[in-house]
């Protein structure tokens, strides 16, 4: 992580779970981190968990990634106060339980707006900063195993994750789209998709938690995967990193 010392990383959805773990580990690894979240108070609480000499390296900032004006306001602040964005971790995402056949369409639309357009909006601003400086930055997309497959029904039990798998399949396609664009535009910006299996976080539906029981990853496991991808030498790009708990059958 030597090349990233005191560089600026932005982590979306930093108020809990995977995002919180990534933000904390990046600070401990020597980066200046902006934790974007709607629940800013939780990011501020995370600051208190850091060693005293590191607390000033984590900034808590409000951002609704699905709202373009909110994204622009947050990234304008980052550029004005910190000067640049060197690493972006697109972690913010949402999952709402329900069935495709009868769920409120407006709720599903919000899932798609957050999980897909949130990445697009934040990545546009981060990559603009990288390209303006001709800086070889890194964009990480926190994907899902459900970005590569869908859930299977059992007799009498239907999957209740609705548009979440389609939204994560879109993230898989976005990762490849960015990879091709970054190369075609003559940059050396890296893109990595990290696809966890079941992780013990707030977003996990009770139906999956009950089925999986103790076969779950921890947020810190995913954070370590992100640090591995970021820490690779300039000539190495981790395209896709799938992390699953031992014994997971999905």
């Amino acid at each position: 992580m030597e090349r990233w010392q005191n560089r600026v990383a932005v982590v979306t959805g930093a108020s809990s779970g995977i995002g919180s773990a990534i933000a904390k580990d990046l600070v401990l690894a020597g980066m200046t981190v902006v934790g974007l979240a709607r629940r800013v108070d939780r990011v501020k609480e995370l600051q208190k968990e850091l060693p005293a000499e590191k607390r000033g390296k984590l900034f808590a900032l409000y951002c609704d990634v699905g709202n373009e004006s909110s994204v622009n306001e947050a990234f304008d602040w980052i550029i004005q106060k910190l000067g640049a964005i060197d690493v972006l971790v697109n972690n913010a995402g949402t999952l709402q339980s329900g069935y495709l056949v009868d769920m409120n369409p407006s709720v599903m639309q919000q899932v798609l707006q957050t999980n897909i357009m949130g990445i697009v909006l934040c990545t546009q601003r981060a990559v603009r900063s990288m390209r303006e400086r001709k800086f070889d930055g890194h964009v990480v997309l926190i994907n899902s195993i459900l970005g590569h497959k869908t859930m299977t029904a059992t007799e009498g039990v239907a999957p209740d994750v609705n548009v979440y798998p389609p939204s994560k399949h879109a993230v898989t396609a976005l990762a490849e789209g960015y990879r091709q664009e970054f190369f075609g535009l003559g940059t050396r910006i890296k893109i990595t998709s990290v696809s966890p299996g079941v992780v013990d976080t707030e977003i996990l539906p009770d139906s999956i938690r009950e089925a999986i029981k103790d076969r779950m990853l921890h947020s810190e496991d995913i954070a370590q995967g992100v640090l591995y991808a970021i820490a690779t030498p300039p000539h190495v790009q981790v395209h896709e990193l799938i992390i699953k708990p031992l014994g997971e059958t999905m």
Side-chain angles (χ1 to χ4, degrees):
M1 292 291 291
E2 289 81 6
R3 69 181 291 247
W4 299 113
Q5 295 303 298
N6 298 313
R7 292 287 187 177
V8 177
V10 176
V11 180
T12 70
S15 61
S16 65
I18 295 171
S20 178
I22 293 170
K24 184 176 181 179
D25 279 1
L26 288 176
V27 170
L28 293 176
M31 297 195 73
T32 296
V33 177
V34 181
L36 300 183
R38 289 181 297 177
R39 298 174 295 183
V40 181
D41 56 316
R42 287 201 177 188
V43 184
K44 292 179 179 178
E45 286 297 314
L46 180 62
Q47 290 173 322
K48 299 177 183 178
E49 299 178 16
L50 294 167
E53 69 275 11
K54 294 281 189 179
R55 291 173 188 169
K57 291 289 189 176
L58 176 61
F59 296 85
L61 191 61
Y62 176 86
C63 184
D64 176 356
V65 299
N67 182 294
E68 185 174 4
S69 62
S70 180
V71 169
N72 284 332
E73 184 176 346
F75 278 80
D76 285 346
W77 184 93
I78 296 167
I79 296 298
Q80 180 181 1
K81 298 294 184 179
L82 301 177
I85 297 129
D86 303 308
V87 171
L88 170 66
V89 181
N90 283 296
N91 166 76
T94 184
L95 189 166
Q96 301 294 328
S97 296
Y99 302 120
L100 287 166
V101 296
D102 59 14
M103 190 173 177
N104 186 331
S106 64
V107 175
M108 290 191 282
Q109 181 61 53
Q110 186 56 50
V111 172
L112 297 174
Q113 184 68 21
T114 300
N115 293 2
I116 301 173
M117 289 308 299
I119 288 175
V120 173
L121 294 172
C122 292
T123 303
Q124 282 190 348
R125 290 302 307 268
V127 170
R128 182 191 305 175
S129 171
M130 297 172 193
R131 293 182 70 197
E132 286 175 348
R133 296 175 294 123
K134 294 182 172 57
F135 182 77
D136 301 340
H138 202 137
V139 177
V140 178
L141 311 183
I142 301 301
N143 197 342
S144 168
I145 193 65
L146 291 178
H148 305 274
K149 61 193 299 182
T150 57
M151 292 190 67
T152 304
T154 57
E155 187 174 356
V157 181
D160 61 353
V161 289
N162 50 85
V163 295
Y164 184 79
S167 75
K168 290 301 185 176
H169 274 71
V171 174
T172 301
L174 281 172
E176 186 58 28
Y178 284 129
R179 188 172 297 117
Q180 297 298 333
E181 287 190 10
F182 293 166
F183 175 73
L185 292 170
T187 81
R188 292 182 59 83
I189 299 170
K190 295 185 186 182
I191 177 78
T192 299
S193 168
V194 178
S195 296
V198 177
V199 185
D200 186 10
T201 64
E202 295 175 1
I203 196 176
L204 186 66
D206 290 338
S207 58
I208 297 178
R209 187 181 298 275
E210 292 167 5
I212 295 296
K213 294 185 170 58
D214 61 344
R215 297 191 304 276
M216 292 185 286
L217 296 165
H218 301 293
S219 297
E220 293 77 12
D221 301 325
I222 313 308
Q224 286 302 300
V226 170
L227 261 67
Y228 160 71
I230 293 173
T232 53
H235 70 286
V236 175
Q237 178 170 234
V238 179
H239 287 205
E240 176 70 46
L241 186 60
I242 295 177
I243 307 173
K244 298 174 70 173
L246 185 66
E248 180 181 305
T249 58
M250 287 181 61

